[in-house]
Amino acid sequence: MTHIISELAYLVAGVLFITGLKWLSSPESARRGNMIAAVGMFIAIVATLVMQEILSFRLIVIGTVIGAVVGAVAALRVAMTAMPQMVAVFNGFGGGASALVAWAEYLRLRPGGFAMDTPISIVATTIIGAVTFSGSMVAYAKLQELVTGRPIVYRFQQASNLLLALLIVGVCGYLVVGAFSTGPQMELYIAAMVLSLILGVVFVLPIGGADMPVVISLLNAFSGLAAAAAGFVLKNHVLIVSGALVGSSGVILTRIMCWAMNRSLANVLFSAFGAEVAVVGAAGTTAGPTVKSVTPDEAAILLGYAKSVIIAPGYGLAASRAQNEVRDLADALERRGVDVKYAIHPVAGRMPGHMNVLLAEASVPYEKLLDMDEINPEFPKADVALVLGANDVVNPAARHDKSSPLYGMPILDVDKAAHVIVIKRSLNPGFAGVDNELFYLDRTRMLFADGRDGLVKIMQELERV
Amino acid sequence: MTHIISELAYLVAGVLFITGLKWLSSPESARRGNMIAAVGMFIAIVATLVMQEILSFRLIVIGTVIGAVVGAVAALRVAMTAMPQMVAVFNGFGGGASALVAWAEYLRLRPGGFAMDTPISIVATTIIGAVTFSGSMVAYAKLQELVTGRPIVYRFQQASNLLLALLIVGVCGYLVVGAFSTGPQMELYIAAMVLSLILGVVFVLPIGGADMPVVISLLNAFSGLAAAAAGFVLKNHVLIVSGALVGSSGVILTRIMCWAMNRSLANVLFSAFGAEVAVVGAAGTTAGPTVKSVTPDEAAILLGYAKSVIIAPGYGLAASRAQNEVRDLADALERRGVDVKYAIHPVAGRMPGHMNVLLAEASVPYEKLLDMDEINPEFPKADVALVLGANDVVNPAARHDKSSPLYGMPILDVDKAAHVIVIKRSLNPGFAGVDNELFYLDRTRMLFADGRDGLVKIMQELERV
Amino acid sequence: MELLFAVYIFVLATFVGFEVITKVPKLLHTPLMSGSNAISGISIIGALVIAGFVEEPFRAMLGLFAVVFGAINVVGGFLVTDRMLQMFKRKPGDREARRAQS
Amino acid sequence: MELLFAVYIFVLATFVGFEVITKVPKLLHTPLMSGSNAISGISIIGALVIAGFVEEPFRAMLGLFAVVFGAINVVGGFLVTDRMLQMFKRKPGDREARRAQS
Ligand SMILES: NC(=O)c1ccc[n+]([C@@H]2O[C@H](COP(=O)([O-])OP(=O)(O)OC[C@H]3O[C@@H](n4cnc5c(N)ncnc54)[C@H](OP(=O)(O)O)[C@@H]3O)[C@@H](O)[C@H]2O)c1
Ligand SMILES: NC(=O)c1ccc[n+]([C@@H]2O[C@H](COP(=O)([O-])OP(=O)(O)OC[C@H]3O[C@@H](n4cnc5c(N)ncnc54)[C@H](OP(=O)(O)O)[C@@H]3O)[C@@H](O)[C@H]2O)c1
């Protein structure tokens, strides 16, 4: 009977998760959707505590309090610009929790002998969970610049990674096949776990910091799979349902990001993209034709007397935390009767929807944030395109230069506007490490400055115009 | 082991059903989607025959052959215009099959005693299946005009129907509660079944022929529920999955139709809508202002010299089977350089998507069939709107006359075109039974003829123009 | 437990159904109706088992009818849907054009 | 059977996930990522049971860590998502306007 009640509670939790995700599909209801999912989680936890046999609540309370406090403090204090690495960390802990659960179940079940399928599930949970954990932590370190964001490459890297993966498969195979025999099983199990932790690290190391969002999203799918696999171990259906939901969500987001960058997942994971940034960039800056720069007061005049301005933000907006300043500038322009819109490229910044979140933080109404497909036809009609710390997503080479690594990626057509103002600190390339011919166009003016500083100065000048 | 294999086969079947339905969402892949679903069905059937204990195949073969032949002949010979009633019949048989299965299970399980939940499932399957069966047959009879399509109303109809429903609930309650005791259970069970069959009939009788699509779609949802309930009886998961899929599909389609007519489901089911057609219609025809009629050659001139023509077909297209003729006319016009489009109202005709199917039969490419929302902005720019046997879906009263039963239903804005030509046989009203002010507008010309005849005559004249 | 399992599956499949079906465009609603209707003939697989159990003639008879009904629904439903869908074409010659391109 | 059940549920839930997630607009992809990430902390409910079984200290210790990890993921994930979503607003004053209308 208690079993039935808790199963029903789990079913309710699963339905709430689904409903929550459904509501996430509209900005109107998204916040409620997230809360509903949280309620589902709460119900699942309470049902577990009430319905399952719990000998002592001491460790449970300690663990929950510590975890909740750490999680809450981290979540409430993190800057919006550091969101990607925060998600990575949380995600890693989720995977870690699944792996630990599998380990504990292994210890519990081994003496008594396993049911048919349990060894596979346990081993799968352990590997996936461990890879998720260590991989996410490396992703975090890279984004937080605790280690270099550059791809870390060394000789025989891919070969040794492959070897490691094969070794893990071998050990796991032995563990599963030999699950019902005696022998050094426990040692091998721990070996599999440690090897998986290592795999997570070496898997993420050669991937460039700017590709981390793809990796995080993939690891998100992994943590879902780990939870689902843990559900197979525990025969717990809400774990399976939630894990499957998260797994598919991660897979879809990964796919979307790869599409938007016009690269395959394999290319993202294995090509050490961006390792040669410095070289190409330097070449571009020294040998190229000259660019026209612009002073803040000239920029202010251009903007202030325009009829319509489209702002195309990129990673530089996040890096210089200029979201409030850009909004102030837009407001000032609108007060002068200028029509202002934002052009949001799907992979501008370093996470899917990164620009949306930042600009939303500055209370820019989301109807003003136009998708690439919607805004591109508007550029030819715009007087000024203001490129704010964006680079790759506005690089015209993507349209015509077959040798460019960006070739084929859909871009924002800022170069079709009457005037282009680009705010960035130098002529250095962006994430893809290629030079940008946009900067050398006749109609382009460069404003070399940190994103925020540049905006503030334009604002000041604008007040005088 | 065989159990596991058949369960896996059922899972595959379920996945194929889902995939099939997914593919149904684009005209490119829809046909393959339907085939995939059929393959799923085939797999489920084969798995059942191979994996389950079957004592004798004689009856199975006989039954399958009879059913397959009857179904195939009916499906291949039915005219496209009679599609709605065909779907109703098939649907009824599906519900009937579920009810019979429940009956047989009742007979099998009763001597040995039931599991906890089985009586409820059996009773539910029986009622829903029986109502689906008899209700669908009445819907068929109405649409095929074996009985009058008019709502059949009599005194105390709703009260007696309610009483009948309550009676059934009572009997079923007794059956479920008393499932584990002895007594006249079998007699009561049969009584419940018979009462349900009667309920199906009296439930559909008062609903007008034109509302049958809604009823059929609702009964479709019922047959899904019956199959799912049968799945609960047999503990067969592919039945549950498929039943749930069909159930939700039926519910969604019902909802969409009600929305598009701007009526509630309750209004459709219980208001005997259309019972007074003749009265209102007659009043409108005799007392109204006069209309301007047009001869086929005048119509041909108007059409032939137009730059753009929008054709708005309605039930009259289906009734006069004019789909090929309308296409011929459109082709002839296009050869003359006229731009021709079709305006498809969601509830034009008598089934959702009715016009699409008919025009597709005449090989009209589906990009020319524009949804209401897409085409409405085009009417003000069109030279001629050709209304072909449509009435309610082009009635401007829906926009402004609060007393009209159509008030609030979105309509095709044919009255905004420079000229309107209406082909129908008389000034009689359409399904909703209300007069149409469109016919009395200055810019409207009526061509009184059967839909097909009218088109043929216009064609002949057009060749001379 | 069996019952719980059944409820789980029913709930999840209902969600799938709602999500998948809401994506079907109006253009295809009639084929959708008849296609999903064909799927509801799935109860034929319950009927098969019953019709095969000939030891109890009356039950087997019920099974026979159920098989006939189910087969009509399944065969008729899929065929009629196919007939409808067969008619949905792009511009004539379009298919060839696309084939030539790729 | 248990395993089959689990596979059924996994398959259906995956379908639901795909269908539901593909409807989320780009605008909300970052919150979606962190929200679904919070849901993956569900393994905390496995951890709770293990941490409660104190008779085996080592296992309970593993459970403790798993609870801490899970709680970080769940609490942090939902809170951070909420913080992000809180910022998505229509035009200021818009909400009042709509309320007045209805
Ligand atoms: N969004 C995603 O989900 C995602 C995921 C993976 C990869 N990516 C990749 O990331 C790239 C995103 O394109 P993007 O155009 O947004 O960025 P980007 O191409 O990386 O360029 C960003 C530019 O911002 C400038 N910048 C950096 N800090 C700045 C500051 N403080 N003030 C002003 N400017 C600053 C940099 O130039 P200076 O150094 O001269 O200032 C740099 O050229 C794409 O290549 C995309 O494929 C995105
Ligand atoms: N599509 C659905 O799913 C659905 C479902 C339920 C209800 N309905 C209802 O059905 C109605 C559909 O609107 P509608 O405009 O398509 O049809 P309608 O309002 O029923 O009008 C059809 C018109 O076609 C004419 N007609 C009949 N036979 C004809 C023939 N052989 N040749 C030429 N004209 C002929 C009739 O006028 P004459 O007699 O003068 O010729 C009639 O006025 C709506 O009220 C809708 O709510 C639709």
Side-chain angles (χ1 to χ4, degrees), chain B residues 31 75 78 94 98 352 360 367, chain C residues 25 28 30 43 73 82-83 87 90:
Chain B
R31 197 166 171 210
V78 61
S98 297
E367 298 98 333
Chain C
L28 290 167
T30 297
S43 22
N73 186 358
D82 189 62
R83 254 190 78 192
M87 301 176 325
R90 294 185 145 257

Side-chain angles (χ1 to χ4, degrees), chain A residues 10 17-18 21-22 24-28 30-31 34-35 37-38 41 44-45 48-49 54-56 59-60 63-64 67-68 70-72 75-78 80 83 87 90-91 93-94 96-98 100-101 103-105 107-108 117 133 213 216-217 220 223 227-228 232 234-242 244-246 248-249 252-253 256 346 351-354 356-357 360-361 363 365-367 371, chain D residues 1-92 94-95 98:
Chain A
Y10 288 160
F17 290 154
I18 296 173
L21 288 175
K22 274 175 75 109
L24 263 178
S25 61
S26 139
E28 308 277 272
R31 198 170 170 206
N34 183 52
M35 285 177 188
M41 187 62 77
I45 290 175
T48 308
L49 293 180
I54 305 265
L55 291 188
S56 147
L59 290 183
I60 294 181
T64 314
V70 172
L76 296 177
R77 300 195 48 184
V78 62
M80 274 298 144
M83 224 31 116
V87 173
F90 290 154
N91 190 44
F93 281 124
S98 297
L100 289 174
V101 167
W103 188 359
E105 283 302 290
L107 294 178
R108 182 170 74 88
D117 55 298
F133 179 74
I216 294 176
S217 170
N220 196 11
S223 79
F232 277 83
L234 301 169
K235 297 286 177 298
N236 183 318
H237 307 119
V238 70
L239 256 72
I240 299 179
V241 170
S242 335
L245 290 174
V246 178
S248 36
S249 139
I252 290 177
L253 286 179
I256 290 178
M351 292 192 85
H354 200 170
N356 296 300
V357 172
E361 190 193 3
S363 306
Y366 58 74
E367 297 99 334
D371 266 0
Chain D
M1 262 322 278
E2 283 258 28
L3 178 63
L4 258 172
F5 183 9
V7 172
Y8 256 93
I9 291 199
F10 182 75
V11 170
L12 286 173
T14 304
F15 268 110
V16 176
F18 268 95
E19 295 301 326
V20 170
I21 304 288
T22 43
K23 281 189 188 151
V24 178
K26 292 198 192 99
L27 174 69
L28 290 167
H29 276 170
T30 296
L32 170 64
M33 195 153 151
S34 78
S36 69
N37 172 30
I39 294 179
S40 78
I42 184 75
S43 23
I44 191 174
I45 70 174
L48 292 173
V49 178
I50 295 167
F53 194 73
V54 278
E55 311 230 307
E56 285 179 37
F58 183 67
R59 287 215 315 119
M61 220 53 208
L62 289 180
L64 172 64
F65 276 101
V67 170
V68 174
F69 282 16
I72 292 180
N73 186 358
V74 169
V75 175
F78 282 121
L79 277 182
V80 102
T81 311
D82 189 63
R83 253 189 78 192
M84 276 189 249
L85 290 173
Q86 209 175 333
M87 302 175 323
F88 282 83
K89 293 191 202 82
R90 295 186 142 256
K91 291 189 211 73
D94 209 59
R95 194 164 303 171
R98 252 178 307 148

Side-chain angles (χ1 to χ4, degrees), chain B residues 191-265:
Chain B
M193 198 154 39
V194 173
L195 289 175
S196 302
L197 287 171
I198 298 176
L199 181 66
V201 174
V202 298
F203 162 69
V204 177
L205 273 184
I207 305 175
D211 273 337
M212 275 313 124
V214 183
V215 175
I216 293 176
S217 171
L218 189 69
L219 291 171
N220 196 11
F222 279 10
S223 78
L225 287 183
F232 277 84
V233 175
L234 301 169
K235 296 287 176 294
N236 184 317
H237 307 119
V238 70
L239 256 71
I240 298 180
V241 170
S242 334
L245 291 174
V246 178
S248 36
S249 140
V251 168
I252 290 176
L253 286 179
T254 309
R255 241 173 26 180
I256 290 177
M257 276 192 263
C258 289
W259 275 338
M261 298 196 294
N262 196 33
R263 288 164 63 196
S264 71
L265 181 59

Side-chain angles (χ1 to χ4, degrees), chain B residues 10 18 21-22 24-28 30-31 34-35 37-38 41 45 48 55-56 59-60 63-64 67-68 70-72 75-76 78 80 83 87 90-91 93-94 96-98 100-101 103-104 107-108 117 133 213 216-217 220 223 228 232 234-242 244-246 248-249 252-253 256 346 351-354 356-357 360-361 363 365-367, chain C residues 2-3 5-7 9-10 13-14 16-56 58-92 94 98:
Chain B
Y10 288 160
I18 295 174
L21 288 175
K22 275 175 74 108
L24 263 177
S25 61
S26 139
E28 308 277 273
R31 197 166 171 210
N34 183 53
M35 284 176 189
M41 186 63 76
I45 290 175
T48 308
L55 292 187
S56 145
L59 290 183
I60 294 181
T64 313
V70 173
L76 296 178
V78 61
M80 274 298 143
M83 223 33 116
V87 173
F90 291 154
N91 190 44
F93 281 124
S98 297
L100 289 175
V101 167
W103 188 359
L107 294 179
R108 181 170 75 88
D117 54 297
F133 180 74
I216 293 176
S217 171
N220 196 11
S223 78
F232 277 84
L234 301 169
K235 296 287 176 294
N236 184 317
H237 307 119
V238 70
L239 256 71
I240 298 180
V241 170
S242 334
L245 291 174
V246 178
S248 36
S249 140
I252 290 176
L253 286 179
I256 290 177
M351 291 193 86
H354 200 172
N356 297 300
V357 172
E361 189 193 5
S363 306
Y366 58 73
E367 298 98 333
Chain C
E2 283 258 30
L3 178 62
F5 184 9
V7 172
I9 291 199
F10 182 74
T14 305
V16 176
F18 267 94
E19 296 300 326
V20 170
I21 303 288
T22 43
K23 281 189 188 150
V24 177
K26 289 194 194 106
L27 174 69
L28 290 167
H29 276 171
T30 297
L32 170 65
M33 196 153 151
S34 78
S36 70
N37 171 30
I39 293 180
S40 78
I42 184 74
S43 22
I44 190 173
I45 71 175
L48 291 174
V49 177
I50 296 167
F53 194 75
V54 278
E55 311 231 307
E56 286 181 37
F58 182 67
R59 285 215 318 120
M61 220 51 209
L62 289 181
L64 173 64
F65 276 101
V67 171
V68 174
F69 283 17
I72 292 180
N73 186 358
V74 169
V75 175
F78 281 120
L79 278 182
V80 100
T81 311
D82 189 62
R83 254 190 78 192
M84 276 190 247
L85 290 174
Q86 209 174 331
M87 301 176 325
F88 281 83
K89 291 191 203 82
R90 294 185 145 257
K91 291 187 211 76
D94 209 58
R98 252 178 307 148

